[in-house]
Amino acid sequence: MTGPLREREDAHALLTAEAERARAGGGRLVLLRGATGTGRSAVLEAAAAHATHLGLRVLRARCSPDDIALPFSSVLHLLGSVPEFADVGPGDDDRGSAARLWRLLRSYADESPLMVAVDDVHLADEASRRWFVEAARRIDRLPVLLVATERSQYDIDPRPAGLTHALSPSVVRTHTLAPLTDNASADLVRAAFPTASDRWTADCVRAGAGSPLLLHALLDDLDGAPPPTAVPRTCAALYPGSYPAAVSWWLDSAGPATAEVARTLAALEQAERTAQAERAVRAAEREGSAVRAERAENVERTASAWRAEGSVARNAVPVPLPDLGPVPAPDSDTHGDTHGDSDTVTEAAHEALPATEAATDALAALVADASGADPARVSGWFTAMTRLGVLRPDRAGRPRYAHPLLRDAVLGGWSPARRQDAHRAVAQAMLRRGDHLDAVARQLLGSAPTGLPWALRVLRDAATVAARDARPGDAVRYLRRALQEPLPDDLRQRLLTELGSLEYASADTPAGIPRLAEALDLPAEPRDQVRTAIALGTALVGRGEVRTAVEVLRRLEGRLAGHPDLARALQTASALLSDQDQTVRREAYRWLTDTAERSPELVGASGQALLVRYAATAGDLPAREAMRRLRTLLTEPADPLAEPFLLGTAAAVAQWADELDEAERLVERGLAGQHPSLLHPMEQALLDTRWDIAAARGAYGTLLAALPEAGRARRTGGSPVNADAHTLLALVETGRTPEARRLADTFDLRDTPDSWELNRFLYARGVLRFTEGDVAGALHDFLECGRRQSARAVHSPVVTPWRTAAAECRLALGNSQEALALATEELRLARVWNTPRTTGRALRVLGRATRGRRGLELGAEAVAVLRDSPAEAELVASLLAHGRQLTAAGERGRGRDHLREGAERAERLGSVRLLTYAEQALRTAGGRRTTPAHTGSGALTGSERRIAELAADGRTNTEIADLLHVARRTVETHLTSAYRKLGIRRRGELRGVLDD
């Protein structure tokens, strides 16, 4: 595809004037200079055609590097066959031959005016170049126009002096062909594709890089796939391939040193673009989390805010692109933020801030180091290519290829092996200059195995950092690449364990389990084998293969006779993992119990902690005694492999015992000790306890801040997890019943494998059904939850108070005797555990089932018990229940007081369900609620005010946590809530608003 020449009017005017001058008998040399692809040959051809039209005889020659060895070969191509012309060998005196050729030219000029057109004179043999220079000095009185084109481009290897280096300016007219501006390029695109959109046109303009050669080649290739088909980003999508061929020729003409630099830059940029794309994906995920977090924050503001969904502004601000005149820049893979055409870009580069220059110099130094070039020449090449339009500055001012297709075409000339070498060289150069570990590792991803210690070290360290920063995908890529290096078996075993763990954590379960199994078969230290076995067992349980997981651990345990501490860690892990299957759980705890009775030292502190938890759920142990035993166990020395089990178990029991601050500290301590690259069952258990703590506090905003997609991905078959149950309950409590129904319908529980998490979800779905008015369906869920819990020997209401929930269903259905039996049994078990949360709830429901004076007493006792509990939601429910009891008994004044207090607490808590219930009860009782302060210091809870005052006095969060004996996370949560209620954003504003 060819088209009219654009922006070459000055060159045409010059050549036309000189042709007229030649006709009048005055000759001159006109030198057309320009970079490769700027259209020198096209302008020369147009000038020759015009000269023919004027009556000039045109003599043409195109110089070639193949003819360099033959003296005067270019002149002979020009003048044609020369009779009796003697070949001149290298080193011979060529003056006679030059004179003969000059006489021949004069004879042609005597016949008619001449235009001598010499294309690519920089490729001419040396004898011909001297002849052209001498001819330029002597044709001023001849009707001869000598027009030569010469490549003039900045290369890494400096070029020899040009044709006119030794000529006086009076005998030569030099014209430099500039690259096409964006507007001219856009006109060419629209001429070829009149229906092209502005975006499509802009994409072509960037890929054309100001070069008529590249742009016409691209348009040739796109002729078979016109718009609206997108402009390709890789050369593989082009046919017949004119564009990559043109880019390859452009690089070849620049020489091997320039091509090396160009391709090294392309390889570096490609790796950076891949990293940016991955970061964009993660940013989108974080943005989604931010949206959910803001919605959750609205929960805690007012009840009405729960009925509306908040939004957050995007973190990323669109970056302005180079001004293309009438052509808007594309919105994908853009680089620059300068303004104007390609010439203006260069001016902007010269006027850049020092920081921009520093970034460009740093990039030039890196590319030079990796390619073995001179940094100063590389920096100059960047400037020259930016002027041409091949490169455009990015937001940091660093030069980048104008379009991904151009970058891909530049890389296309390298074999895979050569690309790998380039990535290794770039990585090594980056390491030498102290670049970020992640950037060095990303370059190594594209390299072949090096066998060099530094490469393995970089990949391992980068994987560790990525895992710590919650980027399992990056860590997986680094470890996969590290395993390609030559490794001893013990190191390979450790890396396979980390890789399998991270693949599982990044939802690539099918890949993770075979990796872990392979690692377990490799020779390694016993401690490393135990870590691998625990990771493999955790992954197998996540896939529903509980028995297989326990068998894996027991097989290894049999080989650890000389390592009792490691054997105990495996026993504890087996017991914990068995929680996902009631049959395996019974077997595991039976063995653990029997062993503890015979030889307590064989189960260790972590095993004894699990037995404390087992006794607590079985209803055999009071909370005070359970916590006493666990605190004693926590003071004993623990093996690092067993300590997470001890901390996680103690945190779960502390949460049941209403010791929420202590539970929170144990969770944070346990999570801090988790290896970021190793799969461990206690990590998920600790996260589950964190959810349980938030639910116990009634922190619905926390529960809804991040929906549990990640947790759900860790299970197969779409089974619900603990976070799903808590999310479902939080949605119900905050009045978002339709969303709760959608979440509940996500899971088909008919074929869901047995697990404690399924029981939690059955309970949560029962609450949803009861709220929706499906009392019979709710009762079915509660009773099924109870049946499954009883089969697991979980009788205490510390986990799921299914009996009181079923009792309320029985009351709603008119079966008061059955409700009374259920509530009585729950109260018996609750008094064994003896915490306000469980006891108060059981008292409330039993009071409703008992009725009469005894029922009133039980309801009042429930309120009194719960006033000392952190379970605010249970207190609200008891206030409302007792308020209705009092109203029904004729004590309407006291009843309305309880209902008002319950309504105010429900609103502060953000429970729309309880608030709606309270307002209905108040209307029935003939009362109305006073409107409390939603904002200002009057809206602060006691805990929020106490913490805010300490912060206003200059205390840090850590100091406040130590002073009040609470977790730092609790301090941060209360301060965040206080800031919102007080309408402030900074710590320094606290004193002023608290004093008002």
Side-chain angles (χ1 to χ4, degrees), residues 605 625-637 646:
E625 175 62 17
M627 290 304 300
R628 185 193 67 78
R629 293 185 188 180
L630 287 171
R631 287 176 180 130
T632 300
L633 292 172
L634 285 168
T635 61
E636 297 180 5
L646 178 58

Side-chain angles (χ1 to χ4, degrees), residues 7-8 33-34 38 175-180 210 212 343 388:
E7 298 184 325
R8 299 294 181 253
R33 304 172 73 242
T38 49
H175 182 83
T176 301
L177 300 178
L180 295 178
D343 287 333
L388 291 176

Side-chain angles (χ1 to χ4, degrees), residues 770 775-776 779 806-820 848-849 851:
F770 188 86
V775 181
L779 179 61
E808 290 186 303
C809 291
R810 293 293 190 191
L811 287 173
L813 293 171
N815 301 326
S816 57
Q817 289 302 313
E818 295 180 20
L820 187 62
R848 289 188 60 214
R851 300 181 184 176

Side-chain angles (χ1 to χ4, degrees), residues 344-383:
T344 309
V345 168
T346 305
E347 294 174 11
H350 286 302
E351 297 170 0
L353 296 173
T356 300
E357 295 175 356
T360 302
D361 290 343
L363 179 61
L366 174 61
V367 172
D369 191 356
S371 61
D374 178 1
R377 297 294 298 181
V378 173
S379 182
W381 186 80
F382 284 173
T383 300

Side-chain angles (χ1 to χ4, degrees), residues 775-948:
V775 181
L779 179 61
H780 173 273
D781 279 347
F782 294 140
L783 293 176
E784 178 63 15
C785 172
R787 183 188 69 79
R788 290 172 174 270
Q789 292 286 68
S790 298
R792 300 168 62 86
V794 177
H795 304 298
S796 175
V798 296
V799 181
T800 46
W802 64 271
R803 293 180 185 84
T804 48
E808 290 186 303
C809 291
R810 293 293 190 191
L811 287 173
L813 293 171
N815 301 326
S816 57
Q817 289 302 313
E818 295 180 20
L820 187 62
L822 286 166
T824 300
E825 176 63 10
E826 179 131 323
L827 180 59
R828 182 189 72 80
L829 291 166
R831 289 199 186 280
V832 172
W833 184 243
N834 199 27
T835 58
R837 192 178 359 156
T838 53
T839 304
R841 178 186 175 89
L843 285 168
R844 179 183 81 242
V845 179
L846 182 60
R848 289 188 60 214
T850 302
R851 300 181 184 176
R853 178 55 54 186
R854 179 56 182 158
L856 282 171
E857 292 172 355
L858 292 169
E861 185 181 355
V863 171
V865 166
L866 285 164
R867 287 198 182 278
D868 295 328
S869 167
E872 183 76 4
E874 293 294 348
L875 174 58
V876 172
S878 294
L879 283 167
L880 300 181
H882 191 47
R884 294 199 68 168
Q885 285 179 305
L886 291 169
T887 301
E891 300 184 43
R892 300 173 71 85
R894 289 182 59 203
R896 286 195 292 266
D897 289 342
H898 278 72
L899 293 173
R900 287 193 185 97
E901 182 184 356
E904 291 169 4
R905 288 179 177 271
E907 186 166 37
R908 286 202 300 268
L909 190 64
S911 176
V912 173
R913 183 182 70 86
L914 291 175
L915 178 61
T916 303
Y917 180 85
E919 290 175 339
Q920 291 173 348
L922 273 170
R923 285 194 295 269
T924 302
R928 62 180 182 177
R929 183 168 60 95
T930 57
T931 303
H934 299 304
T935 59
S937 58
L940 298 180
T941 65
S943 297
E944 289 169 350
R945 174 172 285 279
R946 184 163 60 253
I947 289 173

Side-chain angles (χ1 to χ4, degrees), residues 184-199:
S185 297
D187 289 342
L188 284 171
V189 175
R190 292 193 183 98
F193 298 99
T195 62
S197 68
D198 288 345
R199 179 176 297 180

